Amino acid sequence: MAFSPPDFSDPRFSRSPDAKFLPAPADGVLPEGFFSTTNLPTYVRVKGAWRMPREPRMDASLVLAPDGEVWVREMRRVRKGELVAVGFAEDGSEGIFVHGDAFLGDAHEGEFKFMTSEVSREKPIDYAQMARLLVEERARGGYPIWVLGPALVHSRARADMTWFIANGFAGAVLAGNAVGVHDIEASIFATTLGMTSDGAATSGGHGLHMRAINQVRAAGSIENAVAQGIIKDGIMHACVVHHVPYVLCGSIRDDGPLPGVFTEMAEAQDAMRVHAKKATMAILIATALHAIATGNMLPAFVADADGTIRELPTICVDSSEFVVSKLKDRGTHQAFGVVTNAQDFMHILRLYVERELDARGGARK
Amino acid sequence: MAFSPPDFSDPRFSRSPDAKFLPAPADGVLPEGFFSTTNLPTYVRVKGAWRMPREPRMDASLVLAPDGEVWVREMRRVRKGELVAVGFAEDGSEGIFVHGDAFLGDAHEGEFKFMTSEVSREKPIDYAQMARLLVEERARGGYPIWVLGPALVHSRARADMTWFIANGFAGAVLAGNAVGVHDIEASIFATTLGMTSDGAATSGGHGLHMRAINQVRAAGSIENAVAQGIIKDGIMHACVVHHVPYVLCGSIRDDGPLPGVFTEMAEAQDAMRVHAKKATMAILIATALHAIATGNMLPAFVADADGTIRELPTICVDSSEFVVSKLKDRGTHQAFGVVTNAQDFMHILRLYVERELDARGGARK
Amino acid sequence: MAFSPPDFSDPRFSRSPDAKFLPAPADGVLPEGFFSTTNLPTYVRVKGAWRMPREPRMDASLVLAPDGEVWVREMRRVRKGELVAVGFAEDGSEGIFVHGDAFLGDAHEGEFKFMTSEVSREKPIDYAQMARLLVEERARGGYPIWVLGPALVHSRARADMTWFIANGFAGAVLAGNAVGVHDIEASIFATTLGMTSDGAATSGGHGLHMRAINQVRAAGSIENAVAQGIIKDGIMHACVVHHVPYVLCGSIRDDGPLPGVFTEMAEAQDAMRVHAKKATMAILIATALHAIATGNMLPAFVADADGTIRELPTICVDSSEFVVSKLKDRGTHQAFGVVTNAQDFMHILRLYVERELDARGGARK
Amino acid sequence: MAFSPPDFSDPRFSRSPDAKFLPAPADGVLPEGFFSTTNLPTYVRVKGAWRMPREPRMDASLVLAPDGEVWVREMRRVRKGELVAVGFAEDGSEGIFVHGDAFLGDAHEGEFKFMTSEVSREKPIDYAQMARLLVEERARGGYPIWVLGPALVHSRARADMTWFIANGFAGAVLAGNAVGVHDIEASIFATTLGMTSDGAATSGGHGLHMRAINQVRAAGSIENAVAQGIIKDGIMHACVVHHVPYVLCGSIRDDGPLPGVFTEMAEAQDAMRVHAKKATMAILIATALHAIATGNMLPAFVADADGTIRELPTICVDSSEFVVSKLKDRGTHQAFGVVTNAQDFMHILRLYVERELDARGGARK
């Protein structure tokens, strides 16, 4: 990459003072306010001349040698009394200039920073804010859509999802056949794909999802299966009982499918879009396929009744940074990524929503 | 892979009955108790002869054609009245034999099952059991060691970790210089590597961890920095105040390091092993390096005072299956993997421990 | 986990000799043939009595103290002349017994081993063997099915995939609408989702896949678009020109779709299964959805014309261990996982196939 | 997020023409040059007035209804003869304005694009360019440093790494004790941690790395072990034989360690920095710890002998996007990420370097 050195005849530089140096108070200890280096080309003004320190690296200090040379040196290697540059400004105004523009694109705003990645498991998750959003959405009659992948059911976050549906936090639930199948298997047999809630594979378990599907097909519909007491609890049960609309979309990996699953993809997309159009918030959990499908048909903004326009809160939860990045790479740039496990996300989010409701002094509805 | 067909002259087969078939009650609906296929070589006894069904696949049914041929057919393609095999046994005792041994290694015990992987984000996490273990360890005077990676601090699980230390759940804390640095930066500047608790990178933030280190080096030790009020809260503060021993090990990526960090690796290992020898439980969170290091020096078992021997509970938490598998691949086979985010793990684990304490009727200590 | 100590009155133990100890030849150096410890309960026969060594850990040695006590000690801590146990047997036959059965399940066959995980980026990939398989399949008129995800196209492995199709290594190609769309966008505009082959996003690029789809829709079919010179190269072009059947399945995230895409899921599954039934080998690359869908309908075995039965070679390539584990967890246990990038996989596989062809002396077709 | 609507009284808007609409040529086919929508607030000028289209989503078209309303509609739903907006400009100059600035940060330069993530397995890898860089570095006497993690050795990329060392492409090799141990175990026993080159765990294999270490400790140094024929091939052998300097740094997870490993971390960092200072290129493969450590001490730029300054080419190879992002989050923003397997990377890179050398007409050294 080409590099244009700074023009030190420019007034902003010619007016700069010399850099200030203070003695290190002890071996391996720097003076308060020391300048902390970056890995970028850096220039230090010493006796009116701008010079590049030797042996550049980040996270180190600038030490002035008796001969006027400036050295980049690790804290632990600085000896008591050595002269160490102080200052925070990197724009030359205190005699030190970090030439960031040349090396850092617009994405970094020309400043050296840590932790600038958009999606990372190392980023704190602000559950309180998400809980506030959800509670406000319910209060104002918003339409949050929940888009769910099968891991949510395998990991036994069913109970928490059911709670959100039962308590009015879901405008609609969008998922695939598998979510319905696992949820119903869990209701009938207490397993998902034959796995118990302890995570153990069971003998003969490989057929249980087929038996669950068959019972619902025999009943004719999920609604009938709920009415007949075949499905007694869980996500699908809650949708039926609480009249929350759901869309189950088919895919080529489906068994069955369950009655009511949209197996024609244009119809499935149209059915999803009915809800995408109304959405005022979107929570996408543990599914690349459905998250990207929803993102494709979701505006990045909400136009409120009074004509104002704001970003559509879009939360994407996955165990891997990749799924969130992929969603953003497909244009859903407004997505906020939460890198965690579906079970844990649901559990904590519910907890915070309950706290938020309590804080609002209220009946939980 | 070589394959030996079953020897149907063997008495276990010659005594088998013919497979039983029942008519499908409706289009796309199978009779109760239908046999659900696997992808393994399968043999069906029809009129005394064992025959392989045509067009094998898993998750389907066995349909008997008028000509005696047996077909593997998806549920949705079965028509009312067609004859469908019923039965659960796969050992031939009901006329259907699945030849699993040939294809499935010992790991599968010769049986076709789903969800047999050892480590997966799709496995439910049993927080109640982990909480019980921790509470019991505390009650019996056990010595749980906590091994921490920096993501725990970045993700702001500091408060929860501090709670565990303050409440007697940590025998010792083992970590690297970075955990100490980020924890102390968070206490002094409310950032980690310049990132706020909202996950935002701050201007000038790249030097804050160096300033935190410098303050502690100036104070002479972490203990002094706590005594002088420089470090006011957090993990290191809790260890000092509650007299919980900690070991901070150095590495080649360290800044500083903090005073008290073991920078000689043989000494660091010896310091860790003091605690590994005493350990009655291990919780390894968000660190491959320290988890594997600890696993290397940890027995897989605990010998209790009365001479009995039991597995040493070893919990390994990471956002990726890979770290847990890698730990197991290095011989720590007893590790139980939890694939999630450090922040969420700590938050929920604390919640369950609090519930467990409440359930035990008690003062939380 | 419960633990039954070994019964040392058993003849296999009572006939054991005492363990043998040799002096360390130098500080920090062990005698040849030293016994290397595991983390499992271990018993050492000293003067006729079985004793457990103190301070157990793996990767260490057993040192006999003058008082008859046996200590587990790291190599670096052993001093010249100290008595170190030698032997390889862990079954007691040389006086050392490792009690593996109690702690290791059947999956480990009761033996402590490293690197036993089934799927890991740390496992070597045997391209030579895969290449041999492919060449043999072609020679014997086999029917390898290739199941492709969009990352293969984004990463510009199109040319290599095209080569495999053109040279007779593909019985059929199964993929989704997106693979067709990206492949055709690459042919017409040299981008995929607007990204150039350098990985750069282009201005105005977000509409290019729609323009590609529109051109094919206007032509009426992919075949027409090839005939009219709209599509000039790539995967779809190769399928059409070389008469290799392909199935493009729809999904809810599709744009367009392209003409010929199966948008009804039962029809799509039926279309896929036509090829799954014929498959003698399966290569699944960079797609969870299509890999699992194919795995669901694929027998784990091939019945050759002469009646012999063998495992169906099933290779699953993904950047993450998770997708391969998920596929296995859905019953496709025979899948062999290759954890790598689609571009690299295709490139090296082709290279090895070319070498194999050259080695066979021959015309490459 | 707050949103300011565009000021349509601004001259740039008042001078805009009405948007142009053309009839769809057939059902589900759009006119050439159609406008492809984004998910951002969009305004269309119809009869002099700017209006927002209804039902916004990305990847769709704008259809003008007879009543003057503009609808966002999927291609497949457009009927022959309906009026569809055409144009590419999103700045209002053709009557369509996409209000990107409000929603997209500087990182996106106000333009809606796909595939903007910095690190992704879906990005093409430009091996030709990397090969050119390496060949040029060698030609000009540069100093490329190679930083290696153990997966490179497990995956059997040893031969390729050895080739690069032997052929003058490595200024220095930086790694940990484990890389040395596995490499030497592979040379002596043909295993790594007891795993064969087929990826199989071997009986008794868990002690082989300890036996390898012990042999080298008995020899006194890696150099001696090479001289005595104990180490016959591989990475360490190549470094010794070709006089390429190497630094093996210790860590708390080390067995042994090998003689010559730096076990004091300040010394280890100083030893690494000797090479970091000279580096003109850095290739970091399959190691988070060593990559970040090296990144910390590496300037982002190279000052060439003639005083010009350019970015220091820094390639980071890992199976996961996370490691590359983490490295960047620690300030090594110049790192270019390659998301793949170490074995494949090394194999292809070598191939391209060989081709580049051949293309330069030449002796390969």
Side-chain angles (χ1 to χ4, degrees), chain C residues 100-111:
Chain C
D101 289 345
F103 278 80
L104 302 169
D106 286 343
H108 295 261
E109 298 158 19
E111 186 185 335

Side-chain angles (χ1 to χ4, degrees), chain D residues 133-360:
Chain D
L133 276 172
L134 267 173
V135 171
E136 283 164 12
E137 284 292 325
R138 191 180 72 169
R140 79 168 82 155
Y143 199 83
I145 59 174
W146 294 71
V147 181
L148 312 179
L152 183 134
V153 188
H154 285 302
S155 68
R156 302 305 194 269
R158 287 172 75 229
D160 293 314
M161 187 65 226
T162 300
W163 184 89
F164 281 109
I165 296 168
N167 285 279
F169 292 102
V173 173
L174 312 184
N177 178 65
V179 165
V181 169
H182 300 333
D183 177 61
I184 293 170
E185 180 189 337
S187 180
I188 301 179
F189 298 111
T191 56
T192 65
L193 287 180
M195 175 178 71
T196 67
S197 59
D198 299 333
T202 53
S203 185
H206 71 80
L208 293 179
H209 68 299
M210 298 309 298
R211 302 188 196 291
I213 293 169
N214 197 51
Q215 292 194 21
V216 182
R217 288 175 74 101
S221 71
I222 292 174
E223 285 69 17
N224 287 354
V226 169
Q228 295 170 20
I230 295 169
I231 305 172
K232 297 185 185 64
D233 56 21
I235 296 169
M236 301 316 302
H237 182 271
C239 286
V240 171
V241 167
H242 296 282
H243 308 293
V244 171
Y246 65 87
V247 178
L248 296 184
C249 295
S251 86
I252 49 168
R253 61 175 264 209
D254 290 344
D255 292 307
L258 289 169
V261 166
F262 289 90
T263 60
E264 211 290 325
M265 292 299 98
E267 291 173 16
Q269 289 190 8
D270 291 348
M272 289 174 75
R273 198 166 174 228
V274 166
H275 304 288
K277 282 176 196 168
K278 297 185 197 168
T280 56
M281 182 175 182
I283 304 118
L284 321 170
I285 308 174
T287 168
L289 174 63
H290 292 258
I292 293 174
T294 303
N296 283 354
M297 57 181 71
L298 209 60
F301 61 96
V302 188
D304 282 328
D306 65 355
T308 61
I309 283 182
R310 58 189 172 85
E311 197 171 68
L312 193 152
T314 306
I315 298 162
C316 181
V317 182
D318 203 89
S319 275
S320 126
E321 283 88 357
F322 176 62
V323 168
V324 185
S325 292
K326 191 169 173 176
L327 176 66
K328 287 171 164 291
D329 269 352
R330 267 67 178 174
T332 305
H333 46 82
Q334 82 274 15
F336 175 77
V338 177
V339 181
T340 192
N341 175 293
Q343 173 184 353
D344 290 352
F345 176 81
M346 293 300 290
H347 200 75
I348 304 184
L349 185 61
R350 171 178 169 180
L351 186 74
Y352 274 81
V353 167
E354 290 179 330
R355 284 183 195 161
E356 177 73 20
L357 294 174
D358 287 346
R360 292 187 182 220

Side-chain angles (χ1 to χ4, degrees), chain B residues 292 321-331, chain C residues 122, chain D residues 150 253:
Chain B
I292 293 174
E321 283 87 357
F322 175 61
V323 168
V324 185
S325 292
K326 190 169 174 177
L327 176 67
K328 288 171 164 290
D329 270 353
R330 267 67 178 174
Chain C
E122 293 186 324
Chain D
R253 61 175 264 209

Side-chain angles (χ1 to χ4, degrees), chain B residues 33-62:
Chain B
F34 65 92
F35 183 87
S36 191
T37 63
T38 74
N39 56 8
L40 300 170
T42 298
Y43 302 84
V44 183
R45 198 170 184 276
V46 178
K47 296 192 180 165
W50 292 93
R51 43 200 319 164
M52 291 190 84
R54 305 280 298 271
E55 303 187 347
R57 62 160 291 173
M58 68 171 88
D59 296 333
S61 63
L62 298 172

Side-chain angles (χ1 to χ4, degrees), chain C residues 153 158 162 178-188 191-192 231 233-237:
Chain C
V153 188
R158 288 171 76 228
T162 300
V179 165
V181 169
H182 300 332
D183 177 61
I184 293 169
E185 180 189 335
S187 181
I188 301 178
T191 55
T192 64
I231 305 173
D233 55 23
I235 296 168
M236 301 316 302
H237 182 270

Side-chain angles (χ1 to χ4, degrees), chain A residues 1 3 39-41 43 52 55-58 72 74 76-77 103-104 106-107 112 114-117 120-122 266 269-270 273 277 295-301 309-311 321-322 326 329-334, chain D residues 1 3 39-41 43 52 55-58 72 74 76-77 103-104 106-107 112 114-117 120-122 266 269-270 273 277 295-301 309-311 321-322 326 329-334:
Chain A
M1 192 192 285
F3 169 82
N39 56 8
L40 299 170
Y43 302 84
M52 292 190 83
E55 302 186 348
R57 62 160 290 171
M58 68 171 87
V72 177
E74 293 91 339
R76 65 181 159 78
R77 293 175 58 221
F103 279 79
L104 303 168
D106 287 342
F112 181 83
F114 290 142
M115 307 303 277
T116 57
S117 69
S120 167
R121 64 196 70 171
E122 294 187 324
Q269 289 189 8
D270 291 348
R273 198 165 174 227
K277 282 176 195 168
N296 283 354
M297 55 180 72
L298 208 60
F301 61 96
I309 283 182
R310 57 190 171 84
E311 196 171 69
E321 284 87 358
F322 176 61
K326 191 168 173 177
D329 269 354
R330 267 68 179 173
T332 305
H333 46 81
Q334 82 273 16
Chain D
M1 192 192 284
F3 169 80
N39 57 7
L40 299 170
Y43 302 84
M52 292 189 83
E55 304 186 346
R57 62 160 291 172
M58 68 172 87
V72 177
E74 293 91 339
R76 64 180 159 80
R77 294 174 59 220
F103 278 79
L104 302 169
D106 287 344
F112 180 84
F114 290 142
M115 307 303 277
T116 58
S117 70
S120 168
R121 64 195 72 169
E122 293 187 325
Q269 289 190 8
D270 291 348
R273 198 166 174 228
K277 282 176 196 168
N296 283 354
M297 57 181 71
L298 209 60
F301 61 96
I309 283 182
R310 58 189 172 85
E311 197 171 68
E321 283 88 357
F322 176 62
K326 191 169 173 176
D329 269 352
R330 267 67 178 174
T332 305
H333 46 82
Q334 82 274 15

